[in-house]
Amino acid sequence: MQDALARVRSQLGKEHDILISGRALKGSGTFASLNPSHPQEIVGHHQRATVEQARQAVEATFAYFPTWSATPVEQRIQLLVRAAALLRERKSEFNAWLILEAGKNWVEAEADTCEAIDFCEYYARRMERHATPEALVQMPGERDTMRYLPLGVGIVIPPWNFPLAILVGMATAALVCGNTVVIKPSSDTPTIAVKFAELLLDAGFPPECFAFLPGSGAAIGDALVSHPRTRFISFTGSRDVGLHINQLAAQPVKGQIWIKRVIAEMGGKDAIVVDSEADLDAAAAGVVASAYGFQGQKCSACSRAIVDASLYDAFLEKVKARVERLRVGPADEFGFDMGPVINERARRTILEYIAAGKAEGRLITGGDSAPGDGFLLQPTVIADIDVTARIFQEEIFGPVLAVTKARDFEDALELANATEYGLTGAVYSRNPRKIQAAKDRFFVGNLYINRKCTGAMVGAHPFGGFNMSGTDSKAGGPDYLLQFLQAKSIAEKI
Ligand code: NAD
């Protein structure tokens, strides 16, 4: 990893271009992405694509759709398996980009790259199954079959927090199904995205099957979403942007002949319930790992601990001790538990939430910036938080844990469900009856029992949330690709 970091550091500060049909283009200007551990270090310069280029990107990928969708599925699958192999070969290099541009520590960076590899492998294999759908009931005198067709041009809009895994998952799922895509990376992490675009070309994907279009979401997002040739939007990000995209996509424009599909995975306000019959040490360890991994900047991060009154004080003591042992420092130096948050704006917003939380509850530990030149924050625990508090209801996306006391298990479940989100959740209990109640009534897309609520594994934990957490697309699950396909039923008289 040290060699990879040195190699990648020697490539920092380069200018990268827009890619449309393999042509490298300049935008209306450039913007820089920074290393959040050392903000004076510029990771890459990127183009600001224009609205006109957004239209060109959709039209160019639309023009290639008939060719790509007619490419034999075996060939598309092979290309994806090849992309997985290249990612595996270059794992340390991608880890280094994630460390330097997203501020992931070594372990979190490795997890992101490995998840990206898993997505490629998994979707390649799932596509083999969809290429030969299940047999249908046969009407007498007919041959009845069904096949899956790709949809068309998709707009792929990932967040910065899993800038490789989520981008790769959304883009490759669409591509292996035979769709073409316009990739609009997050402006905080465009270098990681361009490195993956280059890897797709190295793997042999035709340059016309995707466009890489950096630029501000606010400036070019609407042009991409509302273009009449756009067939679907695959978005992962915040609730407000997801709802905006959903609304815009629902309005037909001149020349549009389909209903656009929106696959939107959004925010979370994830809770871990600690029951009176929990293993308290395991619960404290699970809560701390879920709340502070990658500085709490995961949609799955635990931001609420809902703890039975009988264990409340003991739990706070154990969590405080563990949190105060966490080391905060630059992500590129091995051994820190927490690195920086993504940018100065995020740090300010999180500090505002901490100030609100201090007024709403009792500060147990943390509560301020941490020393260093990066966007560093102390891991923060605030206790005695009420269900109506802002830090109980709003997604903070930082290293802040709200702790709430529950009267009993039923009260805890009710509190856990008392937000508009429904992404992940966990329950620590040794009581099978309570575990069953959580399985039945804890309303989240990803429920974990007696383990942390982060770290979904492709294939094992299909991922996606309920309510305002999104469309429950279940990334890394057996049905995910169906969202990028449409079924055609054929009845033939024999
Ligand atoms: P964000 O919503 O600010 O941005 C996401 C993407 O949308 C970025 O690429 C951004 O450039 C783009 N965008 C912004 N405005 C746009 C517009 N008007 N039209 C089109 N695109 C636009 O989110 P973020 O800060 O990058 O990511 C953090 C959020 O993502 C958190 O809310 C987190 O919970 C969520 N998230 C959810 C999941 C999940 O699977 N549910 C996974 C990771 C992150």
Side-chain angles (χ1 to χ4, degrees), residues 155-162 166 184-188 215-225 233 235-242 244-245 248 264-268 297-300 342 345 395 397 421 423 463-465 469-470 475:
I155 312 298
V156 172
I157 307 178
W160 53 263
N161 75 324
F162 279 87
I166 292 183
K184 206 242 46 94
S186 163
S187 299
D188 285 304
S216 136
I220 55 172
D222 288 3
L224 291 170
V225 170
I233 299 102
F235 168 82
T236 306
S238 63
R239 168 193 181 280
D240 291 354
V241 175
H244 169 75
I245 288 174
L248 194 61
E265 292 309 315
M266 314 195 296
Q297 301 173 113
K298 299 183 188 180
C299 55
S300 55
I342 190 68
R345 194 159 44 91
E395 185 180 45
F397 224 54
Y421 292 107
L423 188 46
F463 194 79
S469 291

Side-chain angles (χ1 to χ4, degrees), residues 113-282:
T113 309
C114 290
E115 189 177 6
I117 297 167
D118 286 350
F119 275 135
C120 295
E121 293 282 1
Y122 185 76
Y123 292 146
R125 267 68 194 194
R126 292 309 305 179
M127 192 59 213
E128 284 173 8
R129 304 248 185 125
H130 295 313
T132 48
E134 264 183 55
L136 300 179
V137 169
Q138 299 296 302
M139 290 295 288
E142 282 182 11
R143 186 177 301 117
D144 297 308
T145 56
M146 190 175 83
R147 64 169 73 156
Y148 287 109
L149 311 181
L151 295 170
V153 176
I155 312 298
V156 172
I157 307 178
W160 53 263
N161 75 324
F162 279 87
L164 189 61
I166 292 183
L167 161 73
V168 170
M170 295 199 300
T172 62
L175 284 168
V176 78
C177 291
N179 303 289
T180 54
V181 293
V182 177
I183 297 170
K184 206 242 46 94
S186 163
S187 299
D188 285 304
T189 49
T191 316
I192 294 159
V194 80
K195 290 289 146 192
F196 181 67
E198 289 166 7
L199 182 137
L200 283 177
L201 297 176
D202 292 344
F205 278 84
E208 298 85 357
C209 71
F210 71 92
F212 171 76
L213 202 78
S216 136
I220 55 172
D222 288 3
L224 291 170
V225 170
S226 62
H227 194 289
R229 300 298 193 202
T230 294
R231 179 66 180 83
F232 64 97
I233 299 102
S234 183
F235 168 82
T236 306
S238 63
R239 168 193 181 280
D240 291 354
V241 175
L243 291 180
H244 169 75
I245 288 174
N246 193 44
Q247 190 174 22
L248 194 61
Q251 294 165 6
V253 292
K254 195 166 179 292
Q256 176 183 334
I257 59 165
W258 44 62
I259 299 173
K260 291 177 185 173
R261 267 194 209 172
V262 176
I263 302 141
E265 292 309 315
M266 314 195 296
K269 192 67 199 171
D270 312 307
I272 295 186
V273 168
V274 182
D275 171 46
S276 60
E277 296 172 79
D279 172 338
L280 198 55
D281 286 306

Side-chain angles (χ1 to χ4, degrees), residues 2 29 55 103 111 124 157 176 211 223 232 264 275 285 294 314 323 327 336 343 371-372 398 400 404 406 446 475:
Q2 258 153 358
R55 290 197 196 104
I157 307 178
V176 78
F232 64 97
D275 171 46
F294 190 37
V323 170
R327 288 149 304 167
F336 287 109
N343 56 36
V400 183
T404 300
N446 286 72

